Amino acid sequence: MFGKIREGLKKTREALSQHLQGMLGGGKDSALLIEELEEALILADVGVPTMEKLVAGLKKEEDPKTVLVERIMRIWPAGLSEPDGSKPWVHVFVGVNGVGKTTTIGKLAKKRTGSGQKGVIAACDTFRAAAIEQLEVWAERSGAELVRQSEGSDPAAVAFDAVSKALSRNYDFCFIDTAGRLHVKHNLMEELQKITRVVGKAVDGAPHQVSLVLDATTGQNGLAQAREFLARTRVTDLVLTKLDGSAKGGIALSIADELRLPISYVGVGESVEDLVPFDSREYTLGLFS
Ligand SMILES: Nc1nc2c(ncn2[C@@H]2O[C@H](COP(=O)(O)OP(=O)(O)O)[C@@H](O)[C@H]2O)c(=O)[nH]1
Ligand SMILES: [Mg+2]
């Protein structure tokens, strides 16, 4: 598993290193190097405020690269606290269409069933039949049970069914897949709030985890999405997907710096093993070498 984040950062690292040769190789005027670094960080979607924080006074440092790495390490928020053993662990996944919610749920379900756990997945994106079918495939692949109703049914009712089932069977987890259509933003947020309320009535403390899934290829757009969700729903952590296809891996820093939310997992590909726990050190070092 070690190295998957670094591998996922390949495109970002290549983009950064094109601009950073001076800094890494030495021998250039330091003001020029800082200018290059600023540009490289912006191109990697680190965002202006975070970039400015990282480079401030850097040209006076004897070993700018080490200082930069230390500064980045200080930006990552503390990790998620350990699950408290609640059973079922009710975990809701939110985010706009196409970011990778369903895929992430499938990968995580497979991880859990692979270690002997039992659980259900709730198909609460009831808007499209295709969404339910896609989840069905992941449920089969992982051996988790799918709780679904017909297309167009009330997502909160599906969530309630799923949580009740997980509770009565003493299952370990209940994953809730949600819709992400943005053109009816207001309704989507209300729908998410209703799901949250309903599962909280069925299981004490639920939802225990609400992950906002963001697509790394969308860069700063992801940050804008996050602000919208955070304004209307409770989010406990972030999942950053498609790092493998992105040269904008700096977005993780921008998000961590502004939102102060931990990143729990990183998606680095489409198959089941391509979801890895976030590792701040590997991520930081993987940006440069
Ligand atoms: N390369 C890559 N593709 C991903 C990753 N996660 C999801 N995808 C792909 O992104 C597309 C949309 O994912 P999906 O789970 O349906 O998104 P949802 O609409 O949020 O549920 C699918 O084709 C997935 O295979 C990832 O980490 N890397
Ligand atoms: Mg989906």
Side-chain angles (χ1 to χ4, degrees):
M1 197 164 80
F2 184 77
K4 279 217 168 219
I5 291 181
R6 185 181 172 276
E7 216 175 280
L9 281 166
K10 187 164 181 276
K11 288 190 178 171
T12 303
R13 183 169 55 246
E14 282 169 2
L16 273 172
S17 68
Q18 279 180 3
H19 291 265
L20 290 179
Q21 269 149 13
M23 181 169 166
L24 302 178
K28 258 200 197 172
D29 172 88
S30 61
L32 199 65
L33 291 182
I34 297 305
E35 216 169 279
E36 280 180 5
L37 177 62
E38 287 178 354
E39 197 185 322
L41 292 174
I42 294 299
L43 284 174
D45 264 40
V46 167
V48 175
T50 307
M51 177 278 285
E52 284 177 340
K53 213 183 275 187
L54 290 175
V55 303
L58 204 59
K59 61 170 172 274
K60 288 190 233 107
E61 299 289 342
E62 207 164 290
D63 182 358
K65 194 181 163 205
T66 304
V67 174
L68 180 63
V69 166
E70 281 165 4
R71 286 181 182 178
I72 292 175
M73 283 302 289
R74 276 200 295 271
I75 283 184
W76 304 117
L80 266 187
S81 43
E82 284 291 304
D84 59 9
S86 298
K87 218 175 159 178
W89 185 258
V90 180
H91 189 166
V92 180
F93 295 78
V94 302
V96 306
N97 263 345
V99 290
K101 294 180 294 300
T102 304
T103 309
T104 299
I105 286 175
K107 291 168 175 173
L108 268 181
K110 178 83 179 158
K111 268 187 209 292
R112 285 193 174 241
T113 54
S115 61
Q117 296 193 8
K118 288 191 168 156
V120 297
I121 303 177
C124 296
D125 182 356
T126 60
F127 197 62
R128 298 172 303 139
I132 304 177
E133 280 153 25
Q134 187 194 0
L135 204 56
E136 205 150 36
V137 172
W138 277 111
E140 266 165 35
R141 228 176 257 169
S142 64
E145 227 174 288
L146 183 73
V147 171
R148 57 170 291 180
Q149 290 180 9
S150 54
E151 185 184 343
S153 52
D154 178 8
V158 181
F160 188 78
D161 261 10
V163 172
S164 307
K165 188 172 207 173
L167 189 65
S168 69
R169 302 205 176 161
N170 198 29
Y171 283 171
D172 301 282
F173 66 91
C174 176
F175 288 165
I176 297 177
D177 194 17
T178 63
R181 41 188 202 288
L182 263 192
H183 57 283
V184 278
K185 208 182 294 167
H186 183 66
N187 289 345
L188 174 63
M189 298 304 171
E190 283 191 347
E191 189 175 299
L192 296 177
Q193 287 163 3
K194 190 170 166 199
I195 289 173
T196 304
R197 267 201 315 277
V198 158
V199 300
K201 277 184 189 146
V203 175
D204 272 351
H208 305 96
Q209 191 170 356
V210 182
S211 298
L212 172 64
V213 183
L214 298 173
D215 175 343
T217 62
T218 63
Q220 289 289 317
N221 235 329
L223 189 57
Q225 286 165 21
R227 286 189 198 112
E228 301 225 18
F229 276 89
L230 289 179
R232 304 284 299 277
T233 49
R234 184 174 76 95
V235 172
T236 58
D237 59 282
L238 306 166
V239 173
L240 190 66
T241 61
K242 308 189 201 181
L243 192 63
D244 53 302
S246 177
K248 299 172 176 173
I251 188 60
L253 266 176
S254 186
I255 289 170
D257 192 27
E258 181 179 319
L259 306 178
R260 307 310 304 156
L261 277 173
I263 300 172
S264 51
Y265 285 96
V266 179
V268 292
E270 293 186 89
S271 50
V272 91
E273 69 277 10
D274 293 331
L275 187 77
V276 290
F278 179 72
D279 179 322
S280 59
R281 190 151 189 89
E282 187 185 343
Y283 203 105
T284 304
L285 297 176
L287 288 170
F288 304 105
S289 52

